[in-house]
Amino acid sequence: STGGTCLRSTKTASSTFSVKANSILVIALLLFSPSIVCAEAACPLKDLTIGETFTFQLAWNGIPVGSVTTTVEEITQIQKRKAYKVVARAETNRWASLFYKVDDTFVTYIDYETSASLRYEAYRSEGKYRKKSVIDYIYGRFLAEYNYLKEDRKKDVDVAGDIHDPL
């Protein structure tokens, strides 16, 4: 948040993106980077609405290729904290899937009080590429615990401040 103002969206939104070839890398980096460290405290998200959904239609050079849908699914408990569970699903349409199928699901758990990320899950299926990972942000220890599920591998990373994942 900047200047103490938090902007909120409508309950449902729909947009169409025309993606230029050189923009695909920037979008991929934003969607799939594991976390962003914020130096400033974020706005509390106490006014998110369960069931709130945003759908974006994706196009490449004007040709529809898929969609991304993000939904605030529920308020739950994680790490003994009240949290919003937000799920995003990116998928190619039938036509684009003939060339390169994408069926990704991303889940984030956002602290109800601070809006910091508590957990980020990525289930990626892009062409032949598959990856399942979970990142738990442990604030009392300033630690991000990466768990690569498919590879049965774990990695701890030191973090400073509140974390906000791409979702």
Side-chain angles (χ1 to χ4, degrees):
S1 85
T2 57
T5 302
C6 296
L7 300 177
R8 295 293 176 233
S9 59
T10 58
K11 302 240 186 284
T12 303
S14 182
S15 295
T16 300
F17 285 101
S18 287
V19 179
K20 294 182 180 177
N22 61 354
S23 300
I24 293 174
L25 178 60
V26 173
I27 292 169
L29 288 173
L30 289 173
L31 282 175
F32 306 122
S33 100
S35 62
I36 300 168
V37 177
C38 293
E40 163 178 1
C43 295
L45 298 175
K46 295 178 185 176
D47 60 347
L48 287 181
T49 303
I50 304 306
E52 185 172 17
T53 298
F54 297 92
T55 299
F56 301 93
Q57 300 301 318
L58 303 176
W60 181 71
N61 288 332
I63 301 167
V65 294
S67 62
V68 176
T69 301
T70 303
T71 303
V72 180
E73 284 199 348
E74 65 180 336
I75 295 176
T76 187
Q77 291 282 323
I78 189 157
Q79 298 178 24
K80 299 180 183 177
R81 299 181 69 105
K82 190 174 182 181
Y84 287 102
K85 178 182 178 184
V86 179
V87 177
R89 181 148 189 230
E91 58 187 333
T92 47
N93 61 22
R94 192 176 343 169
W95 179 84
S97 292
L98 293 172
F99 304 100
Y100 190 80
K101 183 175 177 149
V102 173
D103 186 7
D104 293 345
T105 300
F106 303 93
V107 182
T108 187
Y109 294 86
I110 304 168
D111 188 287
Y112 183 83
E113 294 294 328
T114 67
S115 77
S117 298
L118 297 172
R119 172 181 274 191
Y120 178 72
E121 302 173 3
Y123 306 95
R124 297 171 58 185
S125 175
E126 302 160 9
K128 294 181 181 179
Y129 178 80
R130 305 286 184 273
K131 187 164 196 163
K132 297 178 182 178
S133 59
V134 174
I135 305 169
D136 284 303
Y137 303 106
I138 314 299
Y139 289 100
R141 295 175 25 216
F142 298 100
L143 187 68
E145 297 177 338
Y146 286 71
N147 186 355
Y148 301 96
L149 303 176
K150 190 172 181 181
E151 303 163 17
D152 195 29
R153 178 170 65 95
K154 294 182 181 186
K155 177 181 177 181
D156 290 347
V157 176
D158 294 327
V159 297
D162 289 340
I163 302 293
H164 297 276
D165 59 56
L167 204 49

